[in-house]
Amino acid sequence: MTLKRKNGIENVSKGGSSIAKIVGSNVRSSNRFDPMVNMWVYEEMIDGKKLSEIINTDHENVKYLPGHKLPKNVVAVPDVTEAVTGAKLLVFVTPHQFISSLCDQIKPHIADGAIGISLIKGINEGQDQLQLISDIIRKKLKIEVSVLMGANIASEVADEKFCETTIGSTNEANGVIFKELLQTPNFRITVVQESDTVELCGALKNIVALGAGFCDGLGFGDNTKAAVIRLGLMEMVAFAKLFCKGQVSSDTFLESCGVADLITTCYGGRNRKVAEAFVKTSKSIAELEAEMLNGQKLQGPQTSAEIYKILRKKKIVNKFPLFASIYEICFEGKEVKKFITCLQNHPEHL
């Protein structure tokens, strides 16, 4: 007996369209999934036309993923409640700042037995402690949620260049379902059970990538950038061990969600790119987002602010000098040229 599962993707990004391209192609050749994919698209006007209508007519997200055709079975739906109605598999790919209100909108329309997977890279401070995005979805929608994180720059995924990624799922069966939905010969997936660690890697690496961009803007060279990556990884591991609810294995940091994602983001991600421009132009992060990101938002600065609040509340800011310095440069006016001091004085062990 096969299990048909209607699919819904919540997407306002390049990454969302890249994943929709994979899902649309995979479900056409499988008898386990519904062949149609609803993709929620935040409605915008492009040259006098609605973006959703352009996608459904030309099968291309001309704003966020131009030059890449989407499968014809991927349908852009501007009403998010319509997009999720009846869907048993929900794929979340939105900026993390919007996930709470989005869940409130769709909650009455979630199908019984639905499961989700989050590709969202960020965290919330929460009232008393760190709150993962997957936790917000679980709490608000009352569904099981896996996560996917890895060295997956969206444009390269869309170009079908080989990459690896990691699914974190405490429910092994759900991990297998999402692996079948998403894996291709050039998008290779490993499933692990440490879901919280996988998700934290995806959020924290964006902070480190800002530090890598500062290095590039200041002309510090590859040796210094390598130090930022290494020290950043140390702080990622230390933070995960302090705040993850379950086991934290060093093996998980050797998966694509860990060191691979950290490296690719520190060399090719938009957080690195904007941080370099921040140094060279003296413009604000907000100005650079508007100029450089075509309507998308950086995750690194906001994540650094949320992490800093948690560290300050726990009175352990001094144990994470790299994270703290990046926050202070982004939000408290610390001179970016002083970034080097957090590397020079970084403890050997955390």
Side-chain angles (χ1 to χ4, degrees):
M1 178 179 178
T2 59
L3 179 63
K4 291 283 188 176
R5 292 175 177 265
K6 186 177 178 183
N7 319 289
I9 295 176
E10 299 186 11
N11 156 50
V12 290
S13 67
K14 180 186 292 187
S17 295
S18 298
I19 289 297
K21 181 181 177 184
I22 289 175
V23 173
S25 177
N26 281 354
V27 298
R28 286 187 307 186
S29 57
S30 171
N31 63 357
R32 277 170 53 84
F33 304 106
D34 190 296
M36 299 305 295
V37 179
N38 283 350
M39 180 177 74
W40 173 59
V41 175
Y42 182 79
E43 193 69 279
E44 302 176 61
M45 299 301 294
I46 309 293
D47 295 330
K49 297 181 180 179
K50 294 180 178 179
L51 179 57
S52 62
E53 293 178 356
I54 295 172
I55 292 172
N56 290 333
T57 301
D58 300 335
H59 307 290
E60 180 181 350
N61 189 335
V62 294
K63 178 167 184 178
Y64 294 111
L65 197 66
H68 294 275
K69 289 295 183 180
L70 297 173
K72 293 182 180 179
N73 59 322
V74 174
V75 179
V77 181
D79 182 341
V80 68
T81 60
E82 179 185 343
V84 304
T85 298
K88 290 297 184 74
L89 300 179
L90 301 171
V91 183
F92 295 88
V93 200
T94 61
H96 80 279
Q97 299 94 320
F98 307 132
I99 191 62
S100 184
S101 60
L102 193 65
C103 286
D104 290 338
Q105 285 182 259
I106 66 176
K107 182 179 179 179
H109 307 275
I110 298 298
D112 291 340
I115 59 175
I117 188 165
S118 171
L119 282 64
I120 301 170
K121 298 181 176 180
I123 61 168
N124 274 13
E125 179 194 358
Q127 289 184 343
D128 300 313
Q129 59 185 2
L130 173 146
Q131 190 175 35
L132 297 172
I133 300 304
S134 63
D135 287 335
I136 296 173
I137 300 171
R138 289 186 193 100
K139 182 177 179 181
K140 285 183 171 286
L141 302 185
K142 309 300 182 186
I143 63 173
E144 291 192 5
V145 183
S146 304
V147 299
L148 182 148
M149 306 284 157
N152 316 135
I153 292 177
S155 58
E156 295 184 16
V157 173
D159 286 335
E160 300 182 15
K161 295 178 179 178
F162 179 81
C163 65
E164 298 176 311
T165 197
T166 310
I167 287 178
S169 182
T170 56
N171 183 312
E172 185 177 357
N174 289 354
V176 170
I177 289 170
F178 283 117
K179 180 174 181 177
E180 182 179 346
L181 180 71
L182 295 165
Q183 181 165 260
T184 75
N186 286 323
F187 193 67
R188 190 171 72 176
I189 296 172
T190 300
V191 181
V192 302
Q193 287 194 311
E194 286 185 30
S195 181
D196 287 356
T197 306
V198 171
E199 187 169 0
L200 263 183
C201 284
L204 298 178
K205 57 91 181 184
N206 283 327
I207 304 176
V208 184
L210 294 172
F214 295 157
C215 280
D216 291 339
L218 293 164
F220 283 164
D222 287 336
N223 291 338
T224 309
K225 190 170 178 177
V228 169
I229 293 171
R230 187 186 75 83
L231 296 172
L233 181 60
M234 283 176 59
E235 293 194 11
M236 288 169 60
V237 173
F239 190 91
K241 287 181 176 178
L242 280 172
F243 290 94
C244 280
K245 295 186 289 288
Q247 179 185 2
V248 175
S249 167
S250 58
D251 289 346
T252 302
F253 289 89
L254 297 178
E255 297 290 348
S256 181
C257 64
V259 66
D261 195 11
L262 179 61
I263 291 170
T264 196
T265 306
C266 286
Y267 278 91
R270 61 180 181 265
N271 285 279
R272 186 222 62 82
K273 181 180 179 182
V274 172
E276 180 182 12
F278 176 79
V279 177
K280 291 183 174 180
T281 66
S282 298
K283 294 181 180 179
S284 70
I285 295 290
E287 288 175 312
L288 292 168
E289 280 182 331
E291 290 179 12
M292 301 173 65
L293 298 185
N294 193 30
Q296 297 187 84
K297 292 290 185 181
L298 288 184
Q299 299 302 305
Q302 186 63 33
T303 302
S304 77
E306 287 154 354
I307 290 292
Y308 190 83
K309 290 176 186 176
I310 293 168
L311 297 178
R312 187 171 55 193
K313 188 177 294 183
K314 300 289 186 180
K315 299 181 180 180
I316 53 173
V317 170
N318 63 326
K319 293 183 180 294
F320 295 86
L322 183 70
F323 288 173
S325 182
I326 290 167
Y327 163 78
E328 290 161 358
I329 289 168
C330 289
F331 293 101
E332 294 192 348
K334 179 178 179 178
E335 291 183 84
V336 70
K337 66 182 181 181
K338 293 183 179 179
F339 177 62
I340 191 69
T341 60
C342 81
L343 309 179
Q344 294 167 333
N345 301 322
H346 202 284
E348 294 182 10
H349 304 286
L350 295 177

